[in-house]
């Protein structure tokens, strides 16, 4: 990090700031120019508050030269992280397909869906028990009962389960869940993220509706700094001016993330587009762009779904997508 001081600030004031930084354990390097002085901050500057430095009357600007995220940073951990859930792997050379209904509605619905997903080659079952809905008047999930039904589907198929947590109060209900999902709306629920850092389970962290890649990685950092290295990032579309799709799938986020982080990256074309007809082409694009997995909403009868029916595909459509994804994985040297 560097601090550029305003022109013609007195040496005394600059030395005062340097002493203040040194007292906080930050090493500095002063370089005096003709008009202004630049102070280089050496070592770990992750705790430095840029805004308060910028607010000082002697500061012109402050610039970071290294990223604020450390544990998620590829510079400090070059090998790709592979999250292994009882043998189902995501990351590195392993590609995974997470699929299931937006919400768990009944035993018959979730078990039949799980069986179809397993038969087609899906690797995880995903279903919502606690549903974040924009309107409080619509179906908000079966809650505890939904979790019980997911566990039945897991027993019947052997598929590990992924489901969303919305509140810390529900943490004790997630003991048998294999991967805990943090939804877009909770990406910056920092208390929740910190607790999940201590839970010992892989976390699927969805990108916030309007969050930058750096903010997203800082949220991953919250989980990782608690001791949990198993974070899977999920790109699910961002808010833009475009209205043709529910959100805009930020496909370029995948290769961007690949350069800067070692964490696995999953793409969710369902919430990104809101349209079942767009899922197949975007699944193919997700493999081609270098993703490590997909998260897809599948419903035995999409027209009757209690949530997100318009973006849900049938088990038959899912099977055809898996065939194409598998073929593309072979080209990309990924194992599905
Ligand atoms: C979901 O995955 O069911 C969901 C609500 O997605 P998001 O948090 O991405 O909106
Ligand atoms: Mn959904």
């Amino acid at each position: 990090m560097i601090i550029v001081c305003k022109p013609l600030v007195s040496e005394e004031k600059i030395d005062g700031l340097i002493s203040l930084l040194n007292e906080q354990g930050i090493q500095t390097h002063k370089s005096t120019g003709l008009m202004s002085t630049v102070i280089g901050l050496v070592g770990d500057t992750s705790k430095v508050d840029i805004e308060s430095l910028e607010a000082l009357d002697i500061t012109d600007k402050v610039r970071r030269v290294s990223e604020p995220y450390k544990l998620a940073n590829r510079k400090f951990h070059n090998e790709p992280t592979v999250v292994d859930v009882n043998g189902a792997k995501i990351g590195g050379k392993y590609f995974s397909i997470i699929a299931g209904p937006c919400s768990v509605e009944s035993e018959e619905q979730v078990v039949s869906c799980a069986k179809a997903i397993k038969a087609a080659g899906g690797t995880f079952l995903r279903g919502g028990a606690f549903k974040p809905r924009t309107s409080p008047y619509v179906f908000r999930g079966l809650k505890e009962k939904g979790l019980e039904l997911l566990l039945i589907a897991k027993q019947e198929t052997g598929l590990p389960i992924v489901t969303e947590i919305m509140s810390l109060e529900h943490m004790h209900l997630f003991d048998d869940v294999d991967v805990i999902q943090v939804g877009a709306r909770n990406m910056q629920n920092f208390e929740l993220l910190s607790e999940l850092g201590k839970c010992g389970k892989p976390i699927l962290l969805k990108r916030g509706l309007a969050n930058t890649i750096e903010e997203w990685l800082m949220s991953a950092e919250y989980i990782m700094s608690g001791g949990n290295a198993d974070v899977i990032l999920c790109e699910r579309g961002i808010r833009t001016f475009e209205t043709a799709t529910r959100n805009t799938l930020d496909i370029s986020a995948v290769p961007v993330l690949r350069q800067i982080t070692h964490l696995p990256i999953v793409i969710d074309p369902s919430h990104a587009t809101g349209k079942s007809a767009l899922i197949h082409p975007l699944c193919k694009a997700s493999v081609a762009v270098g993703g490590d997995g997909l998260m897809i909403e599948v419903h035995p009868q999409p027209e009757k779904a209690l949530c997100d029916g318009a973006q849900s595909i049938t088990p038959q459509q899912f099977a055809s997508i898996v065939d194409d994804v598998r073929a593309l994985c072979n080209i990309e040297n990924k194992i599905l």
Side-chain angles (χ1 to χ4, degrees):
M1 188 180 291
I2 54 168
I3 303 171
V4 181
C5 299
K6 283 186 181 145
L8 309 173
V9 171
S10 73
E11 279 297 303
E12 199 188 339
K13 283 195 167 177
I14 291 172
D15 290 343
L17 173 57
I18 288 177
S19 315
L20 206 76
L21 291 163
N22 293 160
E23 277 163 28
Q24 292 171 21
I26 300 158
Q27 312 237 330
T28 51
H29 178 271
K30 181 165 100 173
S31 116
T32 312
L34 223 47
M35 290 295 281
S36 61
T37 296
V38 174
I39 308 170
L41 276 55
V42 187
D44 182 7
T45 56
S46 51
K47 292 198 177 76
V48 174
D49 180 4
I50 295 192
E51 278 85 20
S52 54
L53 285 177
E54 274 170 342
L56 298 174
D57 61 350
I58 67 165
T59 314
D60 182 14
K61 50 185 168 255
V62 182
R63 290 280 177 275
R64 271 197 187 281
V65 286
S66 62
E67 299 79 14
Y69 47 88
K70 305 283 173 221
L71 298 169
N73 198 326
R74 187 150 212 150
K75 278 187 194 147
F76 305 109
H77 182 296
N78 192 36
E79 285 305 299
T81 286
V82 178
V83 175
D84 185 340
V85 186
N86 308 324
K89 296 180 186 157
I90 310 185
K93 54 186 196 293
Y94 300 98
F95 195 93
S96 242
I97 303 184
I98 304 166
C102 178
S103 28
V104 176
E105 298 167 6
S106 67
E107 180 170 337
E108 153 68 15
Q109 174 240 23
V110 72
V111 171
S112 70
C113 204
K115 285 182 176 163
I117 286 161
K118 168 98 184 203
T123 37
F124 287 82
L125 171 67
R126 187 209 92 120
F130 293 91
K131 292 302 308 173
R133 301 300 302 273
T134 303
S135 165
Y137 306 118
V138 297
F139 178 63
R140 289 159 65 192
L142 295 179
K143 306 193 165 67
E144 288 93 325
K145 180 74 189 159
L147 291 177
E148 282 167 27
L149 298 181
L150 276 172
L151 291 174
I152 293 174
K154 176 181 170 177
Q155 266 164 16
E156 296 265 335
T157 58
L159 288 176
I161 52 175
V162 182
T163 194
E164 176 166 354
I165 191 161
M166 282 178 32
S167 163
L168 274 179
E169 282 172 29
H170 302 144
M171 198 74 185
H172 63 285
L173 300 169
F174 282 68
D175 285 349
D176 297 320
V177 169
D178 298 289
V179 177
I180 302 182
Q181 174 178 325
V182 174
R185 288 150 194 85
N186 269 317
M187 190 206 86
Q188 287 192 315
N189 182 338
F190 300 120
E191 286 298 311
L192 181 63
L193 299 177
S194 293
E195 280 306 310
L196 292 174
K198 298 184 245 160
C199 77
K201 287 182 189 289
I203 308 298
L204 185 121
L205 179 64
K206 298 192 94 176
R207 183 177 185 175
L209 308 171
N211 284 110
T212 64
I213 289 173
E214 186 169 293
E215 287 164 343
W216 189 10
L217 289 175
M218 289 309 284
S219 291
E221 202 76 11
Y222 260 89
I223 301 167
M224 299 176 84
S225 59
N228 188 351
D230 285 343
V231 178
I232 303 159
L233 300 168
C234 178
E235 161 60 38
R236 47 77 74 205
I238 49 174
R239 283 253 167 120
T240 69
F241 53 83
E242 183 56 71
T243 54
T245 46
R246 184 174 174 180
N247 292 289
T248 298
L249 179 62
D250 184 7
I251 198 90
S252 59
V254 181
V256 168
L257 285 166
R258 189 64 79 213
Q259 291 178 336
I260 57 180
T261 183
H262 51 87
L263 296 175
I265 309 153
V266 162
I267 294 109
D268 169 359
S270 306
H271 293 90
T273 63
K275 292 186 172 166
S276 59
L278 303 181
I279 308 305
H280 199 142
L282 289 175
C283 286
K284 292 194 283 186
S286 300
V287 189
V289 81
D292 300 302
L294 284 161
M295 188 156 106
I296 311 170
E297 287 191 341
V298 179
H299 194 288
Q301 292 171 291
E303 65 289 353
K304 294 199 177 149
L306 295 181
C307 181
D308 287 350
Q311 66 197 33
S312 301
I313 55 170
T314 62
Q316 292 72 26
Q317 290 167 325
F318 178 72
S320 132
I321 288 176
V322 176
D323 288 345
D324 281 355
V325 165
R326 199 183 292 285
L328 287 167
C329 279
N330 285 336
I331 297 171
E332 294 287 325
N333 288 322
K334 289 268 200 181
I335 301 165
L336 169 61

